[in-house]
Amino acid sequence: MESFLEEAKGWTNNISISKKILNDSLENAKLMIIDTVFTALISSYLQYSEVHILFMVLQ
């Protein structure tokens, strides 16, 4: 019986570790998506600014 309880404790610890790794992975994925979106927005804004400035210079 004690052997089973020890093994069950090990499973519980492994599940906790796996859950933490999964949560960390999800958090990293969220941060990567946010980073990608902001990078795209900034890039688009900078391209728009360059075109707008060029257009003003050419007028």
Side-chain angles (χ1 to χ4, degrees):
M1 185 66 163
E2 276 185 41
S3 171
F4 176 75
L5 290 175
E6 289 301 318
E7 195 169 339
K9 284 181 188 176
W11 293 341
T12 304
N13 287 338
N14 287 341
I15 290 170
S16 295
I17 290 169
S18 296
K19 196 173 173 184
K20 182 180 179 344
I21 290 171
L22 178 62
N23 287 340
D24 289 350
S25 296
L26 288 173
E27 189 62 32
N28 285 340
K30 288 179 197 174
L31 292 174
M32 287 174 61
I33 290 169
I34 291 169
D35 183 54
T36 302
V37 169
F38 276 112
T39 301
L41 288 172
I42 290 169
S43 176
S44 295
Y45 175 77
L46 290 175
Q47 287 178 356
Y48 169 79
S49 296
E50 288 174 6
V51 169
H52 186 66
I53 290 170
L54 182 61
F55 180 73
M56 289 181 68
V57 168
L58 293 175
Q59 277 187 335

